[in-house]
Amino acid sequence: MSLKDKHAIVGAATTRFGKVPGVSALAFTVEAAQLALADAGLAKDSVDAVLCKYPPSGFQGLWAHKVSEALGIQPKIAATIDQAGATNIGLVQYAMMAIEAGLIETAVCCYGDNPLSGPPGTYSKPRGPEGAYGMFGAPSGYAMIAQRHMEEFGTTSEQLGHVAVSTRAWASKNPNAHKRDPMTIADHQASRYVAEPLHLLDCCLVSDGGAAVVVTSVERAKDLNKPPVYIMGIGQHHIAWDLPQRPTLTTSGAKISGEMAFNMAGVGPQDVDVCELYDCFTVVPMITLEDYGFCEKGEGGAFVENGTTGPGGSIPMNTSGGLLSESGMAGMQLIVEAVRQLRGEGGERQVDDPEIALVSGQGGIMHSHATMILRN
Amino acid sequence: MTTEYNKPLPRLVNEAVSRPFWDAAKRHELVMPRCLNCSNMFFYPREQCPNCYSDNTEWVPVSGKGRVYSYTVVYQPANRAFQEETPYIFAIVQLNEGPRIPTNLLECEIDGVELEMPVEVVFDDVTDDVTLVKFKPA
């Protein structure tokens, strides 16, 4: 049984991004879900599943139930999932499975948080005993991954900079992006170190905001507001917990989750017209491109040089500005951007007639990964 | 040794499981858990061997020698107590016996670290009760 082309995203929405004081994680989540349902032209009584990624700023048990109550929905399935930055694609996958099994017809997958204006929460907490040695949060973990990539393959800081610069060039075309000022390689190189070899401009933003998508069967999708965006392929892979014990730091869950998604979709990297790849740090989409097969392992640095992924490049990537420039929130906005590109709603940043979009999510310090392939 | 150490100390999630490691460190000895069923040596300490799930494990002394698997020079720690230490070197050291351990490198210039560089253990008595396991160039 394949899930290919049986389900569609029929609603997609984002809230304001950036520093938005006075709006709670709950309010961002509700606003995003409401906008996504309106985008689809569905009333809330059409929703029979509410699937949520937990907000890291302040984890609360039964979060999806709180969201459901705030939305005035009593769904057949309400679930809060924790796969960190891979969760949002995971939510879509679980929605597809539940629809395919006949348990539900329509799911809203939603996420919102206020880590910039609200409490920093888990971002500053150590993940294990390494806190005693001064390792907190994600930058030092991804710095050690970047260090290995540089050692094993000769990747340079300037090559990482090309990811940041290309992404900012896209963000400058997005009126809702958190950061839109032009950026050069020199700006990237001059920005201070957070955790060497990662400069400040290698690190994603911390942003308030929310995003949501509505998933339903292709049958239900036929007579709604917008043309359906079909889900061709989807997969996950989880590298598990302890960072120091990983056999390698330079291959991520993108390899196996990508194979699953491409195999299901029956397409390959050469068929992809636009990529929205999780970019919590510049090294992440570089490794993801390698593991998905856009280039050989270790050649990601050379691949992203000279604007390959920027506006006008051969592989448009993170067309709304990604986590690096549009919003630091954990990935739902990347799904929304892929949907917008496939609908032709990209405005100034619209890619020419894309037919296939690739989206990734990655969580923790390469702990989790998810891949989704969409078409119009 | 100082009585004004204000940085986070190791949190013993399971006292019985982790205590021998920190007691040994206080004696300036490095020990690792090893499975008595399958001989797998592993880190971090935990109840069951992650290879065969046996809870029949022992603590064995190791050489304290290894090499740098990866590292970062931290300039902006998320925890304020570490600000005064910046820039400092956080590293993963691969012990000659196999397991990798998160640690700091001491007695080493921040631009003097190379991957695969040989290192040896140094014990940092940060409080009267707690000794952290760190490394320096060998």
Side-chain angles (χ1 to χ4, degrees):
Chain A
M1 182 187 78
S2 171
L3 295 177
K4 183 187 179 187
D5 292 338
K6 291 184 175 175
H7 310 91
I9 296 176
V10 293
T14 50
T15 69
R16 292 161 292 165
F17 291 140
K19 190 169 182 65
V20 189
V23 183
S24 67
L26 182 66
F28 274 126
T29 307
V30 169
E31 182 186 349
Q34 176 190 5
L35 291 170
L37 286 168
D39 185 58
L42 281 166
K44 65 182 180 181
D45 58 10
S46 310
V47 176
D48 42 21
V50 174
L51 304 175
C52 298
K53 177 195 182 300
Y54 77 95
S57 290
F59 180 81
Q60 301 177 45
L62 291 173
W63 175 250
H65 297 71
K66 192 166 190 177
V67 170
S68 298
E69 193 256 13
L71 288 169
I73 297 171
Q74 293 181 316
K76 292 171 181 156
I77 295 177
T80 310
I81 308 287
D82 173 16
Q83 301 171 322
T87 309
N88 293 300
I89 291 174
L91 299 180
V92 173
Q93 189 176 21
Y94 305 132
M96 294 162 67
M97 291 157 64
I99 295 164
E100 188 66 13
L103 302 176
I104 61 163
E105 185 174 54
T106 300
V108 60
C109 305
C110 48
Y111 175 61
D113 200 4
N114 61 348
L116 186 55
S117 299
T122 58
Y123 291 111
S124 61
K125 289 179 185 157
R127 289 166 194 269
E130 59 268 33
Y133 300 98
M135 184 192 171
F136 302 92
S140 35
Y142 275 111
M144 289 190 293
I145 287 166
Q147 193 80 258
R148 284 299 307 187
H149 205 276
M150 290 172 160
E151 171 79 8
E152 292 175 24
F153 308 117
T155 307
T156 66
S157 175
E158 288 81 359
Q159 290 173 329
L160 295 176
H162 278 283
V163 174
V165 168
S166 293
T167 308
R168 181 62 59 86
W170 283 114
S172 70
K173 300 169 179 292
N174 175 5
N176 195 36
H178 188 168
K179 297 284 185 187
R180 303 184 64 201
D181 300 339
M183 187 200 299
T184 64
I185 295 294
D187 295 333
H188 171 270
Q189 290 295 295
S191 68
R192 62 185 162 83
Y193 280 125
V194 173
E196 192 184 343
L198 298 182
H199 293 265
L200 180 67
L201 293 178
D202 287 305
C203 306
C204 73
L205 307 170
V206 176
S207 315
D208 304 325
V213 296
V214 180
V215 181
T216 192
S217 65
V218 290
E219 293 77 19
R220 182 74 181 89
K222 278 174 186 160
D223 55 353
L224 297 178
N225 261 5
K226 301 270 181 80
V229 168
Y230 298 96
I231 303 164
M232 298 179 77
I234 198 161
Q236 303 183 24
H237 192 235
H238 300 278
I239 304 289
W241 180 249
D242 197 51
L243 180 76
Q245 312 310 328
R246 311 252 176 91
T248 173
L249 292 184
T250 52
T251 293
S252 74
K255 180 154 180 58
I256 288 175
S257 83
E259 284 170 6
M260 291 172 68
F262 279 120
N263 287 342
M264 184 187 296
V267 300
Q270 70 282 0
D271 301 309
V272 171
D273 300 309
V274 57
C275 291
E276 309 296 340
L277 303 187
Y278 201 88
D279 56 344
C280 48
F281 297 89
T282 48
V283 70
V284 173
M286 188 182 285
I287 290 174
T288 303
L289 285 165
E290 294 171 357
D291 290 341
Y292 283 168
F294 284 88
C295 59
E296 294 295 315
K297 176 50 67 184
E299 292 180 0
F303 185 81
V304 299
E305 277 180 339
N306 306 316
T308 312
T309 61
S314 56
I315 305 288
M317 180 176 91
N318 297 357
T319 48
S320 57
L323 278 71
L324 289 167
S325 286
E326 185 195 29
S327 167
M329 64 176 291
M332 186 71 89
Q333 76 278 24
L334 301 178
I335 306 176
V336 173
E337 175 65 9
V339 169
R340 287 176 175 158
Q341 286 288 337
L342 291 172
R343 286 176 175 171
E345 296 175 348
E348 195 190 334
R349 62 184 189 275
Q350 178 65 47
V351 172
D352 288 341
D353 300 324
E355 294 176 0
I356 293 180
L358 173 64
V359 193
S360 77
Q362 183 163 301
I365 302 169
M366 230 154 77
H367 293 78
S368 61
H369 194 96
T371 310
M372 182 162 61
I373 300 168
L374 302 171
R375 71 168 175 86
N376 53 20
Chain B
M1 198 177 297
T2 172
T3 53
E4 295 175 357
Y5 191 79
N6 63 354
K7 300 181 186 66
L9 292 168
R11 295 179 303 165
L12 301 190
V13 176
N14 184 327
E15 175 81 17
V17 167
S18 298
R19 177 54 65 193
F21 178 85
W22 297 107
D23 285 349
K26 202 176 165 190
R27 299 192 305 269
H28 289 200
E29 294 169 14
L30 183 59
V31 296
M32 285 282 136
R34 185 169 67 185
C35 178
L36 283 162
N37 183 51
C38 74
S39 301
N40 177 40
M41 188 182 286
F42 58 91
F43 198 78
Y44 57 95
R46 64 197 84 183
E47 287 89 336
Q48 293 105 344
C49 167
N51 181 49
C52 73
Y53 317 144
S54 169
D55 60 3
N56 191 13
T57 63
E58 63 175 346
W59 288 91
V60 294
V62 292
S63 65
K65 295 185 187 307
R67 54 194 174 81
V68 175
Y69 182 72
S70 196
Y71 76 99
T72 175
V73 182
V74 180
Y75 287 80
Q76 184 186 322
N79 188 297
R80 210 165 287 169
F82 275 89
Q83 192 64 49
E84 66 195 41
E85 299 292 326
T86 58
Y88 60 89
I89 304 165
F90 178 80
I92 297 171
V93 164
Q94 175 133 29
L95 299 173
N96 288 350
E97 291 82 1
R100 296 195 199 127
I101 183 169
T103 189
N104 297 128
L105 296 188
L106 304 180
E107 302 177 35
C108 183
E109 297 296 325
I110 57 168
D111 57 359
V113 193
E114 289 180 17
L115 269 59
E116 312 301 337
M117 183 174 88
V119 290
E120 63 186 19
V121 70
V122 51
F123 294 96
D124 189 357
D125 301 313
V126 297
T127 72
D128 290 342
D129 298 320
V130 176
T131 296
L132 296 178
V133 175
K134 301 184 179 179
F135 287 79
K136 65 178 182 181

